[in-house]
Every structure is written in structure tokens, then in C-alpha cells.
Amino acid sequence: MNGRVTLLGAGPGDPELLTLIGKRRLSEADIVLYDRLIDPSLLAFTNDNSELIDVGKMPLHHKVKQSKINEMLVEYARQGKKVVRLKAGDPYVFGRGGEEAQVLQQANVDFEVIPGITSAIAGLAAAGIPITHRDFASSFHVITGHHKKDGQQLDWENIAHQEGTLVFLMGMAQLPNICRQLVINGKAAKTPVAIIQWATQWRQKMVIGDLENINSLVEQNHLSSPALIVVGEVVKLSPQLNISRPLDGIHLLVPFSKKQRLFSNLEDLGATADFYQRSLIKPLEQVLPNLDKYDAIIVDDMNAYHQFINLLLQDGNDLRRLVNKEIVAGNKQVARQLKKVGILASLELPIDSPSQKILEIGASEPIKGYGDFLQLYKKESRNLSLPFDLREFNGVIFPSTMSVKDFLDSLNEEQRSQLSGLKAFVMGEKVYQAAKQGDFSQIIRCPTNIKETIVRIKEEFIHG
């Protein structure tokens, strides 16, 4: 029985520019074959059992040949696998998506194409350049900068006489020739040009010039591939429309979570965030003790709470079983989370309550350590390496002691040596103590509240 292949566009770089159906397909995938230019944080959207295969291609060097990629797609699909071919940008815009689709169709493999936001449009918008504008350009033309295999040149006379915006993809190696051919074939030497490197990502850089001086500007500012070449009058709008935000240029690591509250708050302020993975939560098969003997229940964390509720339901009970029992939260954050599900928890143990009357629920070790302890789940390392060069980040955020452990466990020796250049933002005193295990340049105490932590991060990078 055949599986299914999804040719999925990852968009220009920012993880939030992935489509909703694309995110769903990643969560369903058995196999993900991904390119070099995708943001590694997108792989956090896969499920725990997905096999991730790097088939990335670099200029003048193919890690995995296209013919081999085609074979892998067909072979995995024939094994009944759900396969995602994750490609930068859009699968059908100057990629090999069309060729891959032809191979799959000829092999009678079920496949689909999920478009991605192309950098030819989104990359310009990220730099304040509208690809069309009624006063400057009523059309646009997207052109590959690669030479054709047979050596045939592009139709430069036709390209140079187009009235709209010209966008060249994969053209940095040919930039001098592109500028020269446009001028030779009729474009004014003073036609505005913008070069946008790593569009929509934290390392986005741009220079603006014209066909006459852009090559020297690129060299002076050390721009290289991957970059967009934009030619046309719309480039003039960039100084006016290139919006700045408080944390522009700040690059942070945050723990992956389904709610992504930290990630979203930071991105809204202009920072770019990538994920480090968390441990797997493995519920344990337990039998609830006789709850009648307890006056109070300590909830260490919400994972324990949810597992506890599951056990109650399995026994044919619900929250009414806890009537007249004191509910105690392990910390302020747990108290806030319990409030959201309708429970007002105390932070203090009942006065003069004997230990035998208290049940604490949690993971491997109790937080309060007073009374009986019921372990409801355990955490298992994913054994995943962190796919980043830590020198590219300004800081990392730790909301819990376990997040510190998860992060440090994912590092190789080289990454550990890079911790000295990284600021650690820790949410709470216990997290601060755990972070001391790393060789961070600075450990910054933050509140346990996410919004207040965001304020502290802004203060550090704007006024620090």
C-alpha cells in the first residue's frame, strides 16, 4: 500500500511563515527530508517518532543528489510512509519540486503540493519593499540567476526592457554579470537595486544602491548567498516602509511548547526566536491510593495534574472527589495554571496537618517533600542534538529547572564552549541555581511570569 508524499514549502525563513496545513503535515509525517535553507526550528513541529533526514544542498556541492532524493521519496511512499519533502520557499518556484512531482506521478505515488510563501515577495516586504506599487511598478518578474545547463544565456534584451520590478533568485554568484547585462541592454545605470540577504530571518541584511555601484557595496558590507536581488523603482520605498521594532536583530532560543507564548511575544517585538527541544513526557501506569485518607493534595506541575485527572476518570470519578481537600500548588506558576482550569490553589501547606494526611503528585522527585509522594510520569531525553551554532544567538530563556537540563543535555562539546557568549534568562531562583551548571556569560534573574520576563528581556537589550 502506497503512502503519501507532501512537497511542502517552508517559506522564506521565519518559522511563523509556514502555512497551517504545512504545520499539520509535519506533525503527521513519518519521514521528513529537509533542505539546508529551512529554519531548523520547523523540525520541532514533527512528532516524536518522525525520522528526520538532511538532504541539504549547498552551492557547488550536493549533500544528496537529486536523483537519490527522488528514489527516497518513491521508496518511502511505497513502504506506506507519510513523507514530507520540506523545501525552502515554494516547491514550484525555482526549486526541483516540479521534477519531483513528475517522478512521483510516473511512479504512481500519491502526492500533494503545499505552497510556501516565496521569498521573491515576502523577502522584499520584510525589507520594506512592496513588489508592486501604483506609482512605481504595475508588474513584477521573478528570474533565476542560474545559468541554464546548456549554457544558454537569459534573454537579457527582453528582461532589461520590462517595466516592472525584477527579482533575481539564486543570483549572487552572477551579480556582476546581471548588472552589466541589464545596463548593456538598456537599463539606466542609476536604476535602484537592493540586495537582501537571509530575508525574514534574524540575520537579515540589506544594502541599497544602483546598477553602477551595487557590486562594490555588496563587497564592502560582506553580503553573500542566500540573497535576493531587487531591481526597480520600488526599492526607493524601503527607507520609508522598513518598519523597526524594539528587539530587531535580537536572536533568542526558547523552549518548544505547543502554546508558544514566549516565542510569539518575542516575535511581536521584532526578535527572532528558535526552539530547543524539551524532554518527552511518559505517563506511568499507577493506581490511585485511597483519597479518603488525605486532607491535602500538592500539585507539583500541570503534567502531574492532568495525569491525576485521567486516573480519577478511569476510576469513575471526577473533581467532585476532591471536595473538602486543600489543593496546594508547587509554585506560583502552577498556581496560575490551576486557576485557569478553575482551581484556586494555596501556596502554603495546611497548618498543623500531619504528613500522613498529605499526598504530593509529580514526576521523579517531590518539590515539597512532605507526605506521601505519587509519581505520575517521567521525563525521557529525546537524544536530539541542538542544530544551531550558539554564536548566532544573543540569549536563551529557561522557564524551569528541567528546561535547563534539557538544553544542556542537547549540546555537543563545541556548543558548550560557545555558552560563554550567551546570556541566560532564568525564570525563578531554582532555575537560577540550575543555570549555574552552564558556562553562561551572564545569568539574568527574571520573574516567573512570561509577560514580566519579556519586559526584563527588553530592558536588557534596549538599555543594557
Side-chain angles (χ1 to χ4, degrees), residues 185-203:
N185 286 277
K187 279 283 185 194
K190 294 298 182 181
T191 301
V193 180
I195 307 296
I196 311 165
Q197 184 179 10
W198 293 111
T200 78
Q201 298 188 32
W202 67 273
R203 48 190 164 184

Side-chain angles (χ1 to χ4, degrees), residues 226-436:
L228 303 162
I229 303 168
V230 189
V231 181
E233 296 300 312
V234 290
V235 170
K236 294 178 179 178
L237 291 168
S238 179
Q240 176 186 353
L241 302 181
N242 195 2
I243 300 168
S244 63
R245 291 177 291 179
L247 293 180
D248 279 342
I250 300 301
H251 194 201
L252 298 167
L253 274 164
V254 301
F256 178 74
S257 71
K258 291 182 179 179
K259 291 184 178 180
Q260 296 179 25
R261 291 170 59 204
L262 269 171
F263 178 90
S264 300
N265 276 274
L266 291 167
E267 292 264 331
D268 288 346
L269 289 169
T272 50
D274 279 305
F275 300 121
Y276 61 89
Q277 283 284 21
R278 300 301 313 277
S279 298
L280 295 173
I281 302 298
K282 294 288 187 181
L284 298 176
E285 292 187 9
Q286 293 281 25
V287 176
L288 280 179
N290 180 10
L291 297 180
D292 292 335
K293 63 178 286 190
Y294 298 108
D295 294 331
I297 296 176
I298 303 171
V299 181
D300 285 355
D301 56 53
M302 292 306 289
N303 291 317
Y305 170 78
H306 293 307
Q307 183 62 9
F308 180 73
I309 297 301
N310 288 337
L311 291 178
L312 271 179
L313 294 173
Q314 289 172 21
D315 278 357
N317 293 297
D318 58 23
L319 283 175
R320 288 172 293 184
R321 188 73 176 79
L322 306 182
V323 170
N324 297 323
K325 298 188 187 302
E326 182 82 17
I327 306 299
V328 180
N331 55 46
K332 291 181 180 179
Q333 186 174 4
V334 176
R336 284 194 293 266
Q337 292 170 331
L338 286 171
K339 185 177 180 180
K340 291 179 180 179
V341 296
I343 295 177
L344 295 175
S346 170
L347 288 169
E348 301 295 333
L349 293 172
I351 298 174
D352 298 328
S353 181
S355 62
Q356 63 267 27
K357 291 284 188 177
I358 296 176
L359 174 66
E360 182 168 2
I361 59 174
S364 56
E365 296 180 358
I367 290 178
K368 300 290 188 181
Y370 188 75
D372 295 337
F373 179 67
L374 180 64
Q375 182 184 5
L376 293 177
Y377 71 94
K378 63 179 179 179
K379 293 189 175 184
E380 292 184 358
S381 173
R382 294 173 184 266
N383 295 319
L384 292 176
S385 59
L386 192 69
F388 300 109
D389 183 338
L390 295 185
R391 292 172 297 183
E392 297 178 345
F393 292 85
N394 301 99
V396 56
I397 303 174
F398 298 121
S400 65
T401 56
M402 196 64 195
S403 67
V404 177
K405 183 179 186 306
D406 291 341
F407 177 76
L408 294 177
D409 286 349
S410 69
L411 305 182
N412 57 36
E413 288 187 14
E414 182 178 0
Q415 289 168 324
R416 282 187 171 272
S417 70
Q418 296 168 352
L419 290 179
S420 59
L422 205 60
K423 293 181 178 181
F425 294 88
V426 296
M427 297 171 64
E429 184 59 30
K430 289 185 178 180
V431 188
Y432 173 80
Q433 296 300 327
K436 285 185 174 182

Side-chain angles (χ1 to χ4, degrees), residues 146-154:
H146 280 332
H147 286 302
K148 296 182 179 179
K149 288 183 178 179
D150 58 8
Q152 181 180 346
Q153 293 289 316
L154 297 171

Side-chain angles (χ1 to χ4, degrees), residues 84-156:
V84 169
R85 174 74 174 99
L86 185 59
K87 305 167 73 69
D90 184 279
Y92 280 2
V93 179
F94 299 140
R96 308 294 288 272
E99 297 170 40
E100 292 169 350
Q102 285 180 304
V103 168
L104 295 168
Q105 190 272 333
Q106 291 164 6
N108 199 30
V109 170
D110 183 23
F111 75 95
E112 64 180 348
V113 179
I114 297 179
I117 298 175
T118 175
S119 62
I121 296 175
L124 274 63
I129 302 173
I131 198 167
T132 63
H133 188 286
R134 64 184 300 171
D135 295 331
F136 296 99
S138 59
S139 64
F140 64 87
H141 312 272
V142 182
I143 306 154
T144 177
H146 280 332
H147 286 302
K148 296 182 179 179
K149 288 183 178 179
D150 58 8
Q152 181 180 346
Q153 293 289 316
L154 297 171
D155 185 352
W156 288 110

